[in-house]
Amino acid sequence: MSLSAEARERLADLVELQPTKNKTLQERWEMESGSDVHQYLEGELKDYYYRDEDSLIRATAEARAIVTGEEVGEDDPLRVHLSDLEQHILEVLAGPEERSQSVVSVLHDLESEFGEEFDTGEVRRALRTLERKGVADLIYRTVPTFRLAVPRNAVELTD
């Protein structure tokens, strides 16, 4: 995705201010409303941000690499903020070289590993979030399935 000069500047703001809120970006970007910020993010920077479990806006690793000019190498850790559920999924999800798992399969592994019940919808959302953050790959078979995009030990958790 090619970014305009304005989009690059705003991406740098996002990296600098993260974790942040629509209101903060609204003020920085001199926009009329938080809705305008959301529309801009979705229209111009969709691949470079995500919202954490507190709905705060955070930059992806790729966004940080674009802003800092540093290449994200294969051996570099993937620095991400993960919710508790996402961390649990990281522990049980099939590795990069293993056969991908359906949401139901991940759900069963979570319940087996942690001895508690999990909500299917929350697990599905967490898997999609892991995909957006570059931690998991979505692979379409009969049903959508997931596996880690990187080795488990290549993920470094941030605050």
Side-chain angles (χ1 to χ4, degrees), residues 91-111:
E91 292 181 40
V92 301
L93 188 61
E97 302 301 319
E98 298 174 312
R99 183 170 170 82
S100 58
Q101 297 176 266
S102 68
V103 173
V104 173
S105 173
V106 173
L107 177 71
H108 289 304
D109 285 354
L110 284 168
E111 291 174 348

Side-chain angles (χ1 to χ4, degrees), residues 18-37:
Q18 73 173 320
T20 191
K21 299 178 180 180
N22 283 15
K23 181 73 171 166
T24 305
L25 294 175
Q26 175 188 341
E27 292 168 0
R28 173 72 67 99
W29 297 344
E30 299 177 352
M31 291 186 160
E32 293 292 320
S33 68
S35 178
D36 290 343
V37 171

Side-chain angles (χ1 to χ4, degrees), residues 6-58:
E6 177 186 63
R8 281 185 174 276
E9 286 177 25
R10 290 183 173 177
L11 187 62
D13 289 341
L14 199 154
V15 169
E16 174 191 340
L17 297 170
Q18 73 173 320
T20 191
K21 299 178 180 180
N22 283 15
K23 181 73 171 166
T24 305
L25 294 175
Q26 175 188 341
E27 292 168 0
R28 173 72 67 99
W29 297 344
E30 299 177 352
M31 291 186 160
E32 293 292 320
S33 68
S35 178
D36 290 343
V37 171
H38 176 74
Q39 287 179 334
Y40 187 86
L41 289 170
E42 282 297 301
E44 300 295 324
L45 302 176
K46 185 175 186 161
D47 294 336
Y48 304 107
Y49 88 98
Y50 64 93
R51 291 187 184 268
D52 66 18
E53 68 275 5
D54 297 320
S55 294
L56 295 174
I57 301 165
R58 293 181 179 267

